Amino acid sequence: MKKIFTLFSFLLMASGAFAQDYYVFADKDGNVYEDGVTIERADAEDDGWGGAIVYSGLYAKNVSAPSSYQVAAQAEITKLDNGALQLCFPTNCVFYSSTGKQKETAKTKFDQGKQMDLMTEWTPEAYGECTVTYTLNMYDGFASKGKRTITVNYKYTDPANIGQAETKTATPKAYYDAQGRRTDGASRGINIVRMSDGSVRKVIGK
């Protein structure tokens, strides 16, 4: 009986470990981050309105999730010296200005081998740091199918790190309305446009 129980426990652990590889964190080139790692981001850029912005460069990648599986993102902020953190996943943008475990985003799914930009970054108002642990929660319906985590230490300490992004060949990458909701393209009124070089522009649609 003990051997059967031990084998059952092993199968459960093996199943849980495999489930962690359904959706993973990756960079823009598809390189996968190990579960639980900590990375640092300290390259600040001009946000297009005279302020600074520090990008995480994080993507959610579907490695082996079945077609019924979905994924949601969640941020837990343990340090926020100033400013706000933005997370745009899967469509709506949310801004956080206080520490703590934030509400999970809506669920989404996409094909194996594909990845989706989390479009999460820190917009500091002064020098300081922001530390966030991001989690990808995986589901099949309401049943949990594992999770992956990564911690990002954002730092903004040296004004020499801020540089205007080159926009000569930049093209629109994503559109948002004035409430931060992702749209299919420019619409009437105020549009927030994320460019391919990481810069952000405010465009008035007619």
Side-chain angles (χ1 to χ4, degrees), residues 163-184:
Q164 291 282 352
E166 189 66 45
T167 59
K168 291 182 180 179
T169 59
T171 57
K173 182 178 180 181
Y175 294 85
Y176 302 86
D177 62 19
Q179 284 71 47
R181 295 174 300 215
R182 194 162 185 167
T183 61
D184 293 332

Side-chain angles (χ1 to χ4, degrees), residues 116-162:
M116 180 178 291
D117 191 347
L118 268 74
M119 298 185 68
T120 180
E121 59 260 350
W122 176 43
T123 51
E125 297 175 347
Y127 301 146
E129 297 182 12
C130 173
T131 302
V132 188
T133 295
Y134 297 99
T135 302
L136 292 179
N137 295 315
M138 293 164 268
Y139 300 93
D140 183 8
F142 292 104
S144 174
K145 290 298 178 180
K147 64 181 180 179
R148 296 275 294 204
T149 64
I150 189 171
T151 298
V152 180
N153 289 330
Y154 299 91
K155 295 184 178 181
Y156 176 45
T157 57
D158 188 351
N161 286 338
I162 303 178

Side-chain angles (χ1 to χ4, degrees), residues 16-132:
F18 177 73
Q20 300 237 346
D21 289 330
Y22 291 134
Y23 288 95
V24 299
F25 287 106
D27 63 17
K28 64 183 179 66
D29 297 317
N31 300 308
V32 175
Y33 291 104
E34 291 185 11
D35 186 32
V37 300
T38 298
I39 60 176
E40 184 175 298
R41 294 289 183 259
D43 294 325
E45 299 181 17
D46 192 301
D47 67 355
W49 293 304
I53 190 167
V54 185
Y55 296 103
S56 72
L58 290 179
Y59 288 73
K61 182 176 181 178
N62 182 341
V63 176
S64 62
S67 60
S68 63
Y69 282 32
Q70 294 181 295
V71 62
Q74 192 168 23
E76 183 171 6
I77 306 171
T78 54
K79 184 174 185 179
L80 183 61
D81 288 343
N82 58 72
L85 182 81
Q86 174 182 279
L87 173 62
C88 296
F89 188 85
T91 54
N92 291 349
C93 291
V94 183
F95 295 86
Y96 310 112
S97 57
S98 61
T99 58
K101 193 170 187 177
Q102 311 301 326
K103 183 179 178 181
E104 183 181 80
T105 68
K107 300 173 185 175
T108 190
K109 59 183 178 180
F110 43 95
D111 295 338
Q112 290 185 13
K114 301 295 184 180
Q115 57 188 49
M116 180 178 291
D117 191 347
L118 268 74
M119 298 185 68
T120 180
E121 59 260 350
W122 176 43
T123 51
E125 297 175 347
Y127 301 146
E129 297 182 12
C130 173
T131 302
V132 188

Side-chain angles (χ1 to χ4, degrees), residues 4-18:
I4 295 176
F5 179 79
T6 302
L7 177 61
F8 180 70
S9 300
F10 174 78
L11 290 174
L12 280 179
M13 289 188 291
S15 175
F18 177 73

